[in-house]
């Protein structure tokens, strides 16, 4: 069954090379949302886009750019992996709202309003005080709605996330996080957020990053699938998907860039600690993208119907992108 599905991974930041592209295809992945920004400014983001253009040139037999949801269907038909560009921070637009449309025209499809810290737009999940959307943030959400760029609140604090859901005229996404009933992490989301997200037509992508899971790297597939089932009861079966947060083959320096950027003179350990500062060990049942069939099998074993498994593995993401990437008239 797995190979017949449209499978969409709602977030990866791997060390992209031909071997990883081959793993994606071997795992039956139709499209993947790739992070091109953590703390990059506008000029640096252009370089990241140029790097991907070169990858498309060198590995065009394996990967292709996604410019609209129809390209995901084409990728499936062609046996390629579609690449969806996203930013995990609002840093590319700097303090200039006009850059939202510029980057959307350059195929940036998804943008987080915050990455852990307070931004010019909203509050990150690591701040002690959450002031919600700023004046600039509200303007940005409206502009993202207009041009068909999807608002992502994966690394945002609770009030900011709820205000983004309420203020946005189009459904938003939390592309890679889990419910905090499963594991209390600053990045995971409350039932209140899940309910609001589901009622608004938004989407949650379940993370497989061990820091977001009960028992960390020892989390079982059965427990993961139980979490999916309980979340489906809260949000609805059509509002959930996968966003693995896979950071495969990345050196420690990349983890430190994600956590520290240019904002801190002292080492920040993010979800880790001084005693646990390295990348977490991968799950035994999800070491890399070749293990996507294990998720399909686990969901079927848990009692999800074939139709519902197809939704969770990719159709919900596809339907969400079908609507969210269209510019408003």
């Amino acid at each position: 069954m797995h190979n017949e599905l449209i499978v969409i991974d709602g977030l990866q930041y791997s060390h992209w090379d031909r071997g990883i592209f081959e793993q994606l295809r071997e795992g039956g992945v139709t499209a993947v949302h790739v992070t091109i920004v953590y703390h990059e400014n506008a000029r640096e983001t252009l370089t990241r886009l140029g790097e991907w253009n070169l990858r498309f040139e060198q590995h065009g037999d394996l990967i292709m750019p996604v410019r609209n949801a129809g390209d995901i269907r084409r990728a499936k038909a062609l046996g390629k992996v579609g690449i969806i560009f996203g930013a995990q921070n609002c840093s590319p637009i700097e303090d200039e709202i006009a850059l939202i449309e510029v980057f959307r025209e350059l195929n940036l499809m998804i943008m987080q309003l915050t990455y852990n810290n307070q931004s010019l737009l909203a509050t990150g999940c690591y701040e002690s005080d959450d002031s919600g959307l700023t004046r600039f943030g509200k303007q940005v959400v409206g502009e993202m709605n207009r041009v068909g760029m999807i608002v992502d609140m994966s690394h945002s604090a609770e009030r900011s996330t709820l205000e983004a859901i309420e203020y946005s005229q189009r459904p938003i996404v939390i592309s890679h996080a889990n419910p905090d009933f499963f594991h209390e992490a600053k990045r995971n989301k409350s039932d209140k957020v899940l309910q609001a997200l589901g009622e608004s037509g938004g989407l949650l992508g379940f993370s497989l990053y061990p820091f977001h899971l009960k028992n960390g790297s020892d989390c079982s597939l059965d427990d993961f699938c139980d979490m999916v089932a309980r979340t489906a009861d809260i949000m609805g079966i059509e509002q959930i998907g996968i966003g693995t947060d896979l950071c495969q083959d990345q050196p420690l320096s990349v983890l430190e860039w994600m956590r520290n950027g240019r904002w801190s003179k002292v080492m920040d350990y993010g979800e880790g600690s001084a005693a646990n500062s390295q990348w977490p060990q991968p799950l035994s049942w999800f070491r890399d993208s070749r293990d996507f069939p294990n998720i399909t099998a686990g969901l079927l074993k848990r009692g999800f119907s074939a139709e519902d498994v197809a939704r969770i593995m990719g159709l919900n993401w596809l339907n969400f992108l079908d609507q969210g990437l269209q510019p408003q008239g």
Side-chain angles (χ1 to χ4, degrees):
M1 171 185 170
H2 180 82
N3 289 335
E4 299 170 3
L5 301 178
I6 286 181
V7 176
I8 298 177
D9 189 347
L11 197 286
Q12 285 196 23
Y13 185 64
S14 294
H15 184 71
W16 306 110
D17 59 21
R18 188 170 182 85
I20 286 180
F21 298 144
E22 289 172 341
Q23 289 177 4
L24 284 160
R25 188 162 71 173
E26 186 177 341
V29 177
T30 312
V32 56
H33 167 205
V34 305
T35 294
I36 64 170
V37 166
Y38 276 101
H39 305 286
E40 285 83 349
N41 61 25
R43 178 63 186 83
E44 292 164 336
T45 301
L46 293 176
T47 296
R48 300 286 88 80
L49 291 166
E51 291 166 353
W52 272 104
N53 284 342
L54 181 59
R55 293 186 184 107
F56 293 133
E57 180 181 341
Q58 294 175 334
H59 308 291
D61 58 322
L62 292 174
I63 60 173
M64 59 178 280
V66 171
R67 296 184 174 87
N68 52 59
D71 283 335
I72 297 174
R73 298 180 178 90
R74 274 187 285 280
K76 180 67 176 179
L78 293 170
K80 296 184 180 183
V81 179
I83 303 296
I84 303 163
F85 292 153
Q88 291 214 45
N89 206 339
C90 61
S91 55
I93 69 168
E94 302 182 15
D95 60 357
E96 187 171 351
I97 196 167
L99 292 186
I100 295 168
E101 185 169 22
V102 170
F103 278 111
R104 182 64 186 89
E105 290 174 348
L106 292 173
N107 215 27
L108 184 67
M109 295 183 170
I110 302 172
M111 186 176 76
Q112 289 184 184
L113 301 192
T114 64
Y115 185 77
N116 294 341
N117 292 351
Q118 178 73 40
S119 74
L120 292 176
L121 310 181
T123 304
C125 60
Y126 273 73
E127 299 287 357
S128 57
D129 298 311
D130 181 4
S131 57
L133 294 185
T134 64
R135 292 198 302 159
F136 185 29
K138 292 175 181 178
Q139 292 274 341
V140 165
V141 168
E143 181 69 356
M144 291 174 72
N145 288 169
R146 185 184 74 84
V147 303
M149 184 184 288
I150 290 166
V151 175
D152 188 350
M153 300 298 282
S154 294
H155 283 255
S156 299
E158 174 126 338
R159 176 182 169 186
S160 292
T161 302
L162 290 169
E163 288 187 6
I165 292 168
E166 180 181 4
Y167 193 82
S168 179
Q169 297 301 302
R170 310 180 81 166
I172 76 161
V173 74
I174 294 173
S175 62
H176 57 297
N178 291 328
D180 67 8
F181 69 70
F182 187 67
H183 178 62
E184 289 188 4
K186 292 181 179 180
R187 279 266 285 101
N188 285 343
K189 307 303 178 183
S190 70
D191 284 7
K192 185 176 182 180
V193 167
L194 300 179
Q195 289 165 354
L197 187 66
E199 290 169 1
S200 67
L203 185 74
L204 173 73
F206 294 108
S207 169
L208 278 74
Y209 192 59
F211 283 137
H212 305 155
L213 296 167
K214 181 173 69 176
N215 299 320
S217 300
D218 294 324
C219 180
S220 70
L221 178 57
D222 286 344
D223 282 345
F224 176 84
C225 293
D226 285 344
M227 174 190 69
V228 173
R230 181 173 169 186
T231 310
D233 290 339
I234 296 171
M235 295 185 61
I237 194 66
E238 296 182 349
Q239 313 310 138
I240 55 176
I242 304 295
T244 64
D245 206 6
L246 182 65
C247 299
Q248 187 182 343
D249 294 345
Q250 294 283 22
L252 181 60
S253 60
V254 165
L255 182 60
E256 292 173 348
W257 165 247
M258 291 160 58
R259 291 170 169 173
N260 293 270
R262 289 179 282 252
W263 66 269
S264 179
K265 292 175 70 175
V266 297
M267 185 63 67
D268 184 87
Y269 295 104
E271 293 162 308
S273 65
N276 185 21
S277 62
Q278 302 289 322
W279 292 104
Q281 289 297 310
L283 300 164
S284 62
W285 47 273
F286 193 82
R287 297 155 299 171
D288 58 50
S289 294
R290 291 171 292 186
D291 287 332
F292 265 95
N294 291 340
I295 304 175
T296 298
L299 293 171
L300 289 169
K301 178 186 174 185
R302 178 58 177 73
F304 286 95
S305 69
E307 293 77 12
D308 285 347
V309 171
R311 291 186 180 99
I312 296 166
M313 295 303 294
L315 289 184
N316 287 341
W317 262 109
L318 183 63
N319 293 334
F320 180 83
L321 294 171
D322 252 330
Q323 300 299 317
L325 295 177
Q326 295 294 328
Q328 291 178 329

